[in-house]
């Protein structure tokens, strides 16, 4: 894993954008995308750029179970606002929060199989989850309906009016889907991610720290600001 330490999330967004641009020059056609506050500066760079994404495909990591694509708190809506309404893609995929749990996981795994991901963007939870793959998730997991942990519900409540409104379940790509990407760029900004980043980079590879599995992938870049990097050796 390569670790790049940047001053702040603005510089981090620029760095991630450079890597995407490089990838596109080398013919990357499928981007795996993430939600949350972390990739916002990257999406701003993409929107401000003169790059054309109309021959690109995007596949998002996850979606809250039970939220419609039009719901302002859905990840569909977030992606539309942050990126897709400004920069159209050829096709964009996000799990359908209203779809049947008996068919949606297989449908989404099939989409990933048909569009192998060239570059996967990841944020990280304070408990080191990636996507919504919470501690304890098998490294062999694929897309499925997952229960969110109390700590994730607590962290994500800032995007809802009350904690009761935070969905308790989501559809998430699994760890195996994430590892199938040719290149992975994980971004983390802020002191509240420092512990998760330390365990991810320096700790043992364990399902208790989902992001630690990235140590086993051959092409991972971790972009962290100084606050998130403060507990790692450098
Ligand atoms: C959610 C998402 C993750 C994201 C994490 C961190 O739980 N499912 O993909 O990485 O939040 O969010 P933030 O970037 O806002 O800190």
């Amino acid at each position: 894993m390569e670790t790049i330490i940047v001053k702040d999330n603005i510089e981090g967004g620029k760095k991630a954008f450079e890597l995407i641009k490089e990838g596109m020059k080398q013919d990357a056609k499928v981007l795996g995308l993430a939600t949350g506050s972390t990739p916002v500066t990257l999406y701003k760079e993409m929107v401000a750029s003169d790059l054309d994404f109309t021959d690109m495909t995007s596949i998002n990591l996850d979606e809250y179970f039970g939220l419609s694509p039009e719901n302002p708190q859905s990840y569909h809506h977030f992606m539309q606002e942050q990126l897709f309404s400004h920069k159209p893609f050829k096709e964009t995929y996000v799990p359908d929060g209203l779809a049947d749990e008996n068919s949606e996981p297989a449908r989404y795994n099939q989409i990933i199989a048909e569009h192998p991901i060239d570059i996967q963007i990841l944020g990280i939870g304070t408990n080191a989850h990636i996507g919504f793959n919470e501690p304890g998730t098998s490294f062999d997991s694929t897309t499925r309906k997952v229960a969110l942990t109390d700590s994730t519900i607590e962290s994500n409540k800032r995007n809802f009016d009350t904690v009761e409104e935070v969905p308790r379940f989501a559809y998430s790509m699994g760890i195996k889907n994430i590892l199938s990407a040719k290149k992975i760029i994980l971004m983390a900004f802020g002191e509240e991610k420092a512990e998760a980043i330390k365990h991810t980079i320096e700790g043992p590879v364990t399902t208790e720290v989902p992001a630690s599995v990235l140590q086993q992938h051959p092409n991972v870049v971790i972009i962290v600001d100084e606050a998130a990097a403060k507990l790692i050796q450098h």
Side-chain angles (χ1 to χ4, degrees):
M1 292 199 295
E2 182 192 355
T3 306
I4 300 174
I5 301 177
V6 294
K7 190 168 62 132
D8 54 23
N9 62 342
I10 310 276
E11 210 183 292
K14 286 188 199 300
K15 191 75 225 170
F17 174 66
E18 273 170 33
L19 296 176
I20 289 186
K21 211 157 68 170
E22 245 171 58
M24 285 170 66
K25 274 193 200 132
Q26 289 158 23
D27 219 27
K29 286 277 179 282
V30 183
L31 299 182
L33 298 179
T35 49
S37 54
T38 305
V40 167
T41 52
L42 162 64
Y43 298 152
K44 283 200 190 333
E45 291 293 323
M46 290 168 76
V47 168
S49 76
D50 53 10
L51 285 193
D52 177 29
F53 296 94
T54 54
D55 65 344
M56 303 281 293
T57 297
S58 71
I59 307 184
N60 261 79
L61 281 169
D62 47 15
E63 176 60 288
Y64 286 117
F65 181 78
L67 297 195
S68 73
E70 295 75 36
N71 187 311
Q73 265 125 0
S74 71
Y75 285 165
H76 263 95
H77 191 267
F78 174 94
M79 290 308 301
Q80 209 53 42
E81 293 269 293
Q82 297 293 326
L83 185 61
F84 302 148
S85 63
H86 310 281
K87 283 285 184 189
F89 278 59
K90 183 173 75 173
E91 42 193 4
T92 60
Y93 296 101
V94 183
D96 179 352
L98 293 184
D100 185 335
E101 61 191 88
N102 294 313
S103 54
E104 183 62 2
R107 182 188 78 89
Y108 213 66
N109 285 328
Q110 186 61 28
I111 288 169
I112 301 164
E114 285 168 7
H115 305 87
I117 298 171
D118 292 299
I119 304 175
Q120 175 67 55
I121 301 298
L122 293 179
I124 186 169
T126 49
N127 63 3
H129 72 225
I130 45 179
F132 270 127
N133 295 290
E134 299 282 25
T137 301
S138 158
F139 293 160
D140 273 335
S141 54
T142 55
T143 309
R144 69 220 181 281
K145 183 182 171 189
V146 293
L148 308 190
T149 61
D150 291 344
S151 84
T152 296
I153 292 168
E154 197 53 34
S155 300
N156 290 8
K157 75 172 185 203
R158 62 199 148 98
N159 304 315
F160 293 82
D161 291 336
T162 63
V163 70
E164 287 72 35
E165 282 177 41
V166 185
R168 268 38 184 175
F169 296 92
Y171 284 126
S172 180
M173 266 190 207
I175 292 189
K176 195 171 172 189
N177 301 119
I178 292 172
L179 293 179
S180 72
K182 294 190 191 96
K183 183 182 188 79
I184 298 176
I185 302 172
L186 181 143
M187 295 189 281
F189 307 124
E191 201 175 338
E192 68 278 11
K193 302 290 171 71
E195 195 78 33
I197 286 297
K198 180 184 170 57
H199 294 308
T200 296
I201 297 177
E202 295 176 354
V205 175
T206 160
T207 55
E208 286 315 305
V209 179
S212 67
V213 75
L214 300 177
Q215 292 178 30
Q216 295 178 344
H217 188 284
N219 193 354
V220 175
V221 179
I222 300 201
I223 300 174
V224 278
D225 67 359
E226 283 155 13
K230 82 172 208 191
L231 298 177
I232 57 175
Q233 314 273 344
H234 55 272

